[in-house]
Amino acid sequence: MSRPADGPADGPAKDQGGRRAETRQRLYRAAADLIAEQGFAATTVDAIAERAGVAKGTVFYNFGSKEALFAGLLDHGIERLADALAEAARGPAASPVAVLDALMLAQLRFFDEYGPFARVLLAELWRAAWQDAVLRLRTSVLAMYERVLADAVEAGELRPGFDTGTAATAVFGMVLTVAIERRALRPDQPVEDVHATLAELVHRRISP
């Protein structure tokens, strides 16, 4: 007879897995905060461990090196951003341009919640050492923007021959930069107001 899924034999393993996941989250948050504040090169394993409230050995136990921790942070953050945008794209929308608006709003809200990660992406992602993460960003996040823009071209909402690949990168970069600027200089400005301005700007520039 099979034992219940939440039986005693499962408890320790599940607890251990949950604790390790929680520890990794703390290390990700600490690393993102520090790297956003002072850059990757200046951030040490000792500082990450101290900010996370763990022993230095915990960093090496979970990741092996600062570089592996940062690579994990990029993967984790990009995956969560992709999930947020995918959820927005599944919502009700009257047209591809409306879906584009939903993606921009989801990106703004994500970076409003995870501001340090936004600054890490802008400052650190494009270094040669992190090209694997750039590829994942391209295939999981920018590709969503590109698909929606291609749908808009097909629907006649954008002009024929529109360069959807370049536009996808441009829109993502614009939203990323504006999100960082808002958090730094205008934190009281509602995200929805920022989105309305960006949506109007995009509509005026890419509509036929």
Side-chain angles (χ1 to χ4, degrees), residues 11-34:
K14 287 187 175 181
D15 288 347
Q16 184 177 7
R19 285 195 299 271
R20 186 172 190 188
E22 182 181 349
T23 298
R24 284 177 171 246
Q25 292 296 320
R26 290 166 63 187
L27 291 169
Y28 285 149
R29 286 193 297 270
D33 288 345
L34 287 165

Side-chain angles (χ1 to χ4, degrees), residues 38-55:
Q38 59 193 26
F40 176 78
T43 299
T44 65
V45 171
D46 291 287
I48 293 170
E50 182 178 359
R51 181 71 65 93
V54 300

